[in-house]
Amino acid sequence: MTTGQEGEALVLTSHRLRGWALPTPDGGKESRGRVLVVGGGRTTPGGVLLAAEAALRAGAGKLQIATASSVAPGLALQIPESMTVGLPEDEAGELSPDGAETVAELAQGCAAVVLGPGLGNVEVAGALLRRVVPDLDCTLVLDALALAYLTANPDGVAHLEGRCVLTPNTRELARTLDVPESDVEADTPRCVTDLARRTRAVVVSGAATSWIASPEGGLWRDESGTPGLGVSGSGDVKAGVITGLLARGADPAQAAAWATFAHGRAGERLAVRVGPTGFLARELLSEIPHVMAELSS
């Protein structure tokens, strides 16, 4: 059995994932899909960089980045495999909603889009997404502050008919559901299941134990990982891996399950080599291809 059933949580294991094999990465870069990563700002370009490289490390074929115009040239040099486009930014260096039309144009023909890494202002993020998301017709990942869009627009991704993955941490999950964080901490599986049903999207929680819920009632639990994964940028890497797997043709629940487990295993490998804490989120990136190969063998 590879999919969770109503009310029953399946534990993710390497054996279970091998029975839920990813699409074979045959063919060239066009066949493995084009990704668009949207986010970052003048003071937070790193989130976009991590998510973008993670998408490629997970096997996506082509990469586009849309970020604040002041940091776009630097990011283009940091990740020369990308086409990087600068977007309008406000006085604080956050992405301006005026860039919405450019984002929509870049998203055309993409297999997957991730919105949110490195966004630093919840109001600005919500304003940008209100102008972008209704016009998108591709598989979407909403990460970090991008979740604020769903707080005010609970049906905001319903038009995608399940082609969406949400990656909230505990605080973001509480904010999106409009409940205290203590409620999420007390019963995370109930909360991720509730959000999946409300939004008709796959939901991946971020904590020591990760939970994945599908809008059809599937529920998975992942206990891979190490405390060292609780570090800046770690969630950006996971969101990028999910996006890369979606670009390769994985369905949303499958991409979420594989990415969550691979992210945890990458942390375990670094914990052995570097130490239980102290490794960096960017060090996870080079581990991802090795973990994916092990899980696929």
Side-chain angles (χ1 to χ4, degrees), residues 33-122:
R34 177 154 49 99
V35 162
L36 172 62
V37 181
V38 183
R42 189 185 306 154
T43 61
T44 55
V48 170
L49 177 64
L50 291 169
E53 182 172 338
L56 290 179
R57 296 287 188 179
K62 299 177 74 174
L63 173 66
Q64 296 180 152
I65 298 172
T67 189
S69 58
S70 60
V71 297
L75 274 177
L77 290 171
Q78 284 288 318
I79 187 161
E81 298 85 355
S82 70
M83 183 187 84
T84 300
V85 176
L87 298 175
E89 57 187 80
D90 63 18
E91 292 181 355
E94 296 291 335
L95 294 189
S96 165
D98 292 340
E101 185 175 344
T102 300
V103 173
E105 290 173 356
L106 291 170
Q108 293 180 9
C110 283
V113 173
V114 55
L115 297 169
L119 294 181
N121 183 296
V122 66

Side-chain angles (χ1 to χ4, degrees), residues 149-215:
Y149 165 71
L150 291 175
T151 304
N153 307 274
D155 294 327
V157 295
H159 68 289
L160 297 174
E161 299 179 333
R163 292 176 295 148
C164 185
V165 180
L166 314 179
T167 61
N169 59 27
T170 299
R171 177 180 300 175
E172 293 155 354
L173 182 55
R175 181 191 297 141
T176 309
L177 288 171
D178 193 23
V179 299
E181 284 187 44
S182 57
D183 284 11
V184 176
E185 292 166 349
D187 195 347
T188 304
R190 180 183 61 78
C191 290
V192 297
T193 299
D194 188 15
L195 186 59
R197 285 175 172 159
R198 288 190 193 185
T199 59
R200 284 176 271 173
V202 170
V203 179
V204 185
S205 73
T209 297
S210 294
W211 295 89
I212 300 164
S214 74

Side-chain angles (χ1 to χ4, degrees), residues 15 20 22 59 66 77 95 125 139 148 169 203 216-217 221 228 240 244 280 285:
H15 175 74
W20 197 6
L22 293 169
L77 290 171
L95 294 189
T139 307
N169 59 27
V203 179
E216 295 80 18
R221 185 175 82 244
L280 305 179
L285 296 167

Side-chain angles (χ1 to χ4, degrees), residues 44 46-48 50-51 118 143 169 227-238 263 278-285:
T44 55
V48 170
L50 291 169
D143 181 50
N169 59 27
L229 286 168
V231 65
S232 296
S234 181
D236 298 315
V237 172
K238 185 161 72 172
H263 180 260
F279 57 81
L280 305 179
R282 63 174 179 264
E283 295 178 288
L284 294 167
L285 296 167

